[in-house]
Amino acid sequence: DDDAVRFETIDDVHEMQRRMEGDPLEKDGGRVVLFRGSAAEGVPVMVIGEGPGKDEDEQGKPFVGKAGQLLDKIMEAAGLDVEK
């Protein structure tokens, strides 16, 4: 499709999301919550959440509330570095 938006890097995607205006969810939240850690391409696991909660919205990072803390423990027990 010639009208498709293409990005060279994941950082380009994140920059576009940070500048996005007119999102109908914007009135209920304060920040675009994208990632935490390195956000490097080729990471072994990607976790996608349903939507940011209060803690995530305040900090601008995903999975930082109680459920995220439990997820961190589970991932660490599986030998995964939660900051990568």
Side-chain angles (χ1 to χ4, degrees), residues 12-71:
D12 292 343
V13 175
H14 295 156
E15 181 58 30
M16 183 276 307
Q17 290 174 319
R18 285 185 195 98
R19 291 183 285 123
M20 187 169 34
E21 295 179 0
D23 183 338
L25 301 176
E26 186 175 26
K27 65 181 173 70
D28 295 323
R31 298 178 186 226
V32 174
V33 178
L34 301 173
F35 67 91
R36 67 178 203 197
S38 65
E41 294 179 29
V43 294
V45 176
M46 177 187 289
V47 179
I48 300 172
E50 180 179 355
K54 180 179 179 281
D55 295 322
E56 289 80 9
D57 188 46
E58 288 174 356
Q59 295 183 40
K61 295 180 181 178
F63 306 109
V64 293
K66 288 186 179 187
Q69 292 167 16
L70 176 59
L71 177 62

